[in-house]
Amino acid sequence: MKKHLLTGVALSFGVLMSGTALADITVATTGPMTGQYAAFGAQMKAGAEQAVADINAAGGVNGEKLVLEVGDDACDPKQAVAVANQMVGKNIALMAGHFCSGSSIPASQVYAEEGIIQISPASTNPSYTENRPGPGTYRVCGRDDQQGETAGKFLAEQFKDKNIAIVHDKTAYGKGLADETKKYMNQAGKQEALYEAYTAGEKDYTALVSKLKQENIDVLYVGGYHTEAGLMARQMRDQGMDTILVSGDALVTDEYWQITGDAGQGTLMTFSPDPRKNPEAAPVVEALEKAGKTAEGYALYTYAAIQAWAQAAEAAGSTDYDAVIEKLNAGDFDTVLGKLSFDDKGDVTLPGYVFYEWKDGKYDYMQ
């Protein structure tokens, strides 16, 4: 198992020969930089670039500068594995990625085998850490069983006399979230009127919407991403339906409203407490916005993933895989998300999920 020992040897040799280090430390982020979910890739890239810039401005990690590699997996599992192998060749010390659970899960096997720490900013499927292939697999976001519990109980309590449909896109994220939401809603005594899958990437959901209309669906829960959810919301309004759309954290992008327009008014979604409101995040948010970049969604989660790793590497005095893992497992880290630590599965110990509402082109806490 490669554990970045060669990097340490090269650096030591460089110091002995010239008094300066020969190599920088390479870290990476990977997500959907292209394709229909590229808005999330842009969030990750913005957060990673800002984290690397800020850490380097403060002196780097153990006196060494960070260099960022950006990979594009387009949320495709096969492409994710290919990118993971490419990153191995670039001798990265950290992967702050991937975005989609369906990408992170297979890629995690590559990183574990090669002794590379992976901290996902956004992959919420429980299997990612429940079945982690090695001790270096972490995440700074919550899990779908936490998110599903929040959503399922809410649906049962708030819409107990309404017809609820649950649909999903068949992905690890979408189906996982839909199933967890269904489970907790059912446990709370509410049964769905309709449960079925849809195909991601289509432009016309008229057949699904017509079925929802025929079944008098009052509330539609979507386990999937903003592109398809936005089209469903718009097409429901086109058919004269006032059905409330409810979904998860994959709606935390302004692109959702760009798709829906006013049809997105009143959409509800679960997401972690907004990190942009943290005092610790204020300088980072300001820097991102000044540069014309986004601080929404998972930008700050990617920033925090790199922050936590950098603090652990500083505490270890090394980027060695085992040494950094020891510090990640034992430490508390001051990040833009607040103070965080990791449990024995690699899950983050942060507050869970709350509800947001889309109004007038923006999302904020539901009143």
Side-chain angles (χ1 to χ4, degrees):
M1 180 181 286
K2 177 168 66 66
K3 299 182 179 179
H4 302 283
L5 294 176
L6 289 177
T7 300
V9 172
L11 291 177
S12 299
F13 181 75
V15 170
L16 288 171
M17 293 299 293
S18 64
T20 58
L22 292 176
D24 294 319
I25 301 168
T26 305
V27 299
T29 190
T30 295
M33 303 300 160
T34 59
Q36 60 181 335
Y37 307 133
F40 295 111
Q43 292 174 5
M44 296 172 72
K45 184 172 182 283
E49 287 175 341
Q50 193 63 48
V52 167
D54 290 346
I55 290 168
N56 284 343
V61 174
N62 298 321
E64 300 301 324
K65 297 294 185 181
L66 299 183
V67 175
L68 179 66
E69 289 283 344
V70 177
D72 178 17
D73 65 15
C75 274
D76 177 80
K78 290 182 180 178
Q79 192 166 325
V81 171
V83 172
N85 282 302
Q86 290 169 9
M87 291 299 177
V88 170
K90 295 178 185 293
N91 197 36
I92 64 169
L94 167 71
M95 169 51 71
H98 299 213
F99 177 76
C100 291
S101 296
S103 292
S104 276
I105 291 170
S108 67
Q109 186 70 46
V110 176
Y111 302 126
E113 289 174 355
E114 296 294 335
I116 295 169
I117 290 170
Q118 179 186 11
I119 306 178
S120 174
S123 294
T124 54
N125 189 288
S127 295
Y128 172 65
T129 49
E130 286 292 330
N131 302 313
R132 67 201 298 220
T137 305
Y138 300 86
R139 62 175 137 211
V140 290
C141 59
R143 294 168 39 134
D144 288 335
D145 44 2
Q146 297 170 323
Q147 188 169 195
E149 181 176 9
T150 299
K153 290 180 176 178
F154 175 86
L155 291 171
E157 292 168 3
Q158 299 296 318
F159 303 110
K160 58 184 177 181
D161 297 323
K162 302 294 184 180
N163 290 329
I164 300 175
I166 298 176
V167 298
H168 66 81
D169 63 1
K170 297 177 274 192
T171 66
Y173 165 73
K175 186 176 188 303
L177 181 56
D179 287 348
E180 291 291 341
T181 298
K182 169 179 158 56
K183 179 179 77 174
Y184 283 104
M185 187 180 79
N186 294 164
Q187 287 178 2
K190 177 66 179 177
Q191 296 297 312
E192 67 280 359
L194 184 69
Y195 173 89
E196 63 179 62
Y198 63 89
T199 300
E202 294 185 351
K203 301 299 182 186
D204 186 358
Y205 292 100
T206 302
L208 172 61
V209 171
S210 296
K211 187 171 185 179
L212 298 174
K213 187 174 184 179
Q214 183 179 355
E215 297 290 334
N216 297 313
I217 298 300
D218 302 298
V219 180
L220 173 64
Y221 185 85
V222 179
Y225 293 89
H226 70 289
T227 46
E228 292 81 10
L231 290 171
M232 290 176 197
R234 198 172 74 198
Q235 290 167 22
M236 285 193 297
R237 298 297 177 263
D238 288 345
Q239 290 202 33
M241 300 172 65
D242 58 4
T243 299
I244 298 170
L245 191 144
V246 185
S247 191
D249 58 303
L251 266 60
V252 291
T253 168
D254 289 341
E255 270 196 6
Y256 177 72
W257 192 268
Q258 292 170 18
I259 294 169
T260 65
D262 290 342
Q265 193 82 352
T267 294
L268 304 178
M269 66 178 183
T270 46
F271 185 47
S272 301
D274 192 342
R276 292 176 297 183
K277 299 179 184 292
N278 292 339
E280 302 92 336
V284 179
V285 172
E286 182 180 358
L288 285 167
E289 292 178 346
K290 186 176 180 180
K293 298 178 181 179
T294 183
E296 70 174 354
Y298 284 99
L300 295 177
Y301 284 80
T302 309
Y303 189 106
I306 296 174
Q307 264 188 314
W309 172 85
Q311 290 173 29
E314 282 278 353
S318 168
T319 58
D320 175 72
Y321 181 77
D322 292 329
V324 176
I325 284 174
E326 182 179 348
K327 297 302 181 183
L328 283 170
N329 291 343
D332 291 314
F333 307 100
D334 294 313
T335 77
V336 291
L337 305 180
K339 188 178 287 292
L340 63 82
S341 59
F342 298 100
D343 66 17
D344 58 3
K345 293 179 181 178
D347 289 318
V348 72
T349 56
L350 282 173
Y353 289 87
V354 296
F355 262 94
Y356 293 76
E357 184 174 6
W358 277 94
K359 285 184 179 179
D360 303 324
K362 300 181 183 300
Y363 62 87
D364 206 342
Y365 296 131
M366 189 180 73
Q367 300 299 315

